[in-house]
């Protein structure tokens, strides 16, 4: 089950959704789920509910609230359509690290305030560009984030990028899992190696895995590269991470 909430911030009102099992009955371990570049849409509502049904309260904010409320991809269109992508890239360009830092705090404050969440330990998961957000949040909110995951993440360790999240990982205390798409041009092997080296040097408890044969976006049901087997593995890995790091309590 889910409900809509509004989060007032200095940058505007974030429209967000809270997902819980039906019924939740009591506060549950908190998870923040971030969409890929396509923003809020049915396949991400489905993802959030699947995680919630495993015993979590899931907050899914609209990352594009500064520019638009609700779904940003028009009905009947795809986030991959050539006439849609320029708008998405424009909106994504506004999500600077500085803007992300303010949003991270707003999400944490919301979890602390809403009755569905047990905020003793928080997990965060990102997809595509928000895989980098998850790593940054684990670094910048190290006291609060106990688990961080990224799937088919993009540009985690881009050469000569001073804003790359690879430069922040020394602060991470969370348990980290990264599931990479095979042959992903947005995260080539040299970037994966840089991230692994940085996480290992920082002493982070982490696991990285290459999803052989799965393309960038393999968890998105509305993408032509969707891979059902890789998606099922992604849920197994994600829920194992949360079980280990967030210690969920049985529902019912």
């Amino acid at each position: 089950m889910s409900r809509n909430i509004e989060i007032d911030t200095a940058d505007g009102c974030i429209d967000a959704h809270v997902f819980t099992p039906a019924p939740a009955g009591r506060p549950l371990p908190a998870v923040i789920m971030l969409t890929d570049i396509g923003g809020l849409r049915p396949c991400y509502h489905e993802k959030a509910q699947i995680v919630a049904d495993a015993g979590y309260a899931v907050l899914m904010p609209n990352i594009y609230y500064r520019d638009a409320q609700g779904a940003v991809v028009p009905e009947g269109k795809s986030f991959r359509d050539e006439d849609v992508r320029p708008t998405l890239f424009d909106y994504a360009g506004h999500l600077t690290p500085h803007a992300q830092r303010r949003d991270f705090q707003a999400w944490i404050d919301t979890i602390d305030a809403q009755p569905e969440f047990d905020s003793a330990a928080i997990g965060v998961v990102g997809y595509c560009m928000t895989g980098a957000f998850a790593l940054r949040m684990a670094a910048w909110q190290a006291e609060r984030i106990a688990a961080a995951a990224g799937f088919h993440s993009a540009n985690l360790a881009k050469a000569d990028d001073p804003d790359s999240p690879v430069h922040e990982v020394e602060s991470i205390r969370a348990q980290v899992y990264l599931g990479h798409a095979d042959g992903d041009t947005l995260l080539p092997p040299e970037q994966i190696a840089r991230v692994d080296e940085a996480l290992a040097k920082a002493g982070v408890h982490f696991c990285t895995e290459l999803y052989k044969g799965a393309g960038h976006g393999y968890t998105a049901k509305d993408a032509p590269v969707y891979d059902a087997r890789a998606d099922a593995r992604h849920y197994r890995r994600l829920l194992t991470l949360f079980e280990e790091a967030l210690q969920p309590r049985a529902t019912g």
Side-chain angles (χ1 to χ4, degrees):
M1 58 186 298
S2 67
R3 68 181 179 94
N4 302 335
I5 63 171
E6 294 183 343
I7 305 169
D8 290 324
T9 76
D11 292 353
C13 181
I14 304 175
D15 52 310
H17 304 271
V18 176
F19 296 81
T20 58
R26 52 187 165 74
L28 296 169
V31 170
I32 299 168
M33 178 174 285
L34 305 176
T35 64
D36 63 14
I37 195 170
L40 296 174
R41 58 194 195 278
C43 71
Y44 272 87
H45 286 260
E46 180 181 340
K47 282 187 200 305
Q49 191 62 60
I50 288 171
V51 172
D53 287 343
Y56 301 91
V58 180
L59 175 68
M60 189 167 67
N62 174 15
I63 58 174
Y64 294 137
Y65 72 93
R66 293 175 178 85
D67 295 289
Q69 298 284 297
V72 297
V73 177
E75 186 175 356
K77 302 292 291 184
S78 166
F79 70 100
R80 291 175 177 261
D81 289 348
E82 291 300 322
D83 57 342
V84 173
R85 288 176 69 81
T87 297
L88 297 178
F89 282 119
D90 179 51
Y91 291 176
H94 301 155
L95 301 177
T96 63
H98 186 61
Q100 289 173 42
R101 190 183 291 273
R102 296 197 300 275
D103 289 347
F104 297 166
Q105 187 61 57
W107 303 338
I108 293 283
D109 291 345
T110 298
I111 284 173
D112 286 340
Q114 297 299 319
E116 291 93 339
F117 298 99
D118 176 350
S119 60
I122 300 171
V124 59
V125 55
Y127 299 83
C128 184
M129 70 175 185
T130 61
F133 294 22
L135 282 183
R136 287 194 187 97
M137 192 170 192
W140 295 346
Q141 293 281 352
E143 298 290 338
R144 304 301 306 276
I145 303 299
F151 294 91
H152 44 84
S153 302
N155 296 321
L156 297 182
K158 195 173 181 180
D160 303 321
D161 180 3
D163 290 330
S164 171
V166 76
H167 303 307
E168 308 282 354
V169 300
E170 67 276 1
S171 301
I172 292 176
R173 299 183 183 179
Q175 187 170 332
V176 172
Y177 176 87
L178 299 172
H180 303 305
D182 187 22
D184 193 343
T185 59
L186 295 178
L187 197 74
E190 59 269 21
Q191 286 199 41
I192 294 174
R194 287 189 203 109
V195 174
D196 286 355
E197 180 181 9
L199 290 169
K201 185 176 180 180
V204 175
H205 181 178
F206 77 99
C207 175
T208 59
E209 187 173 9
L210 186 68
Y211 285 44
K212 188 69 175 176
H216 183 77
Y218 60 80
T219 71
K221 278 191 171 181
D222 56 356
V225 296
Y226 175 69
D227 186 318
R229 291 182 62 185
D231 189 29
R233 186 200 297 181
H234 131 263
Y235 283 117
R236 291 195 299 270
R237 300 297 192 264
L238 182 61
L239 294 177
T240 296
L241 171 72
F242 289 161
E243 181 179 5
E244 292 176 351
L246 305 183
Q247 300 180 355
R249 293 162 291 185
T251 59

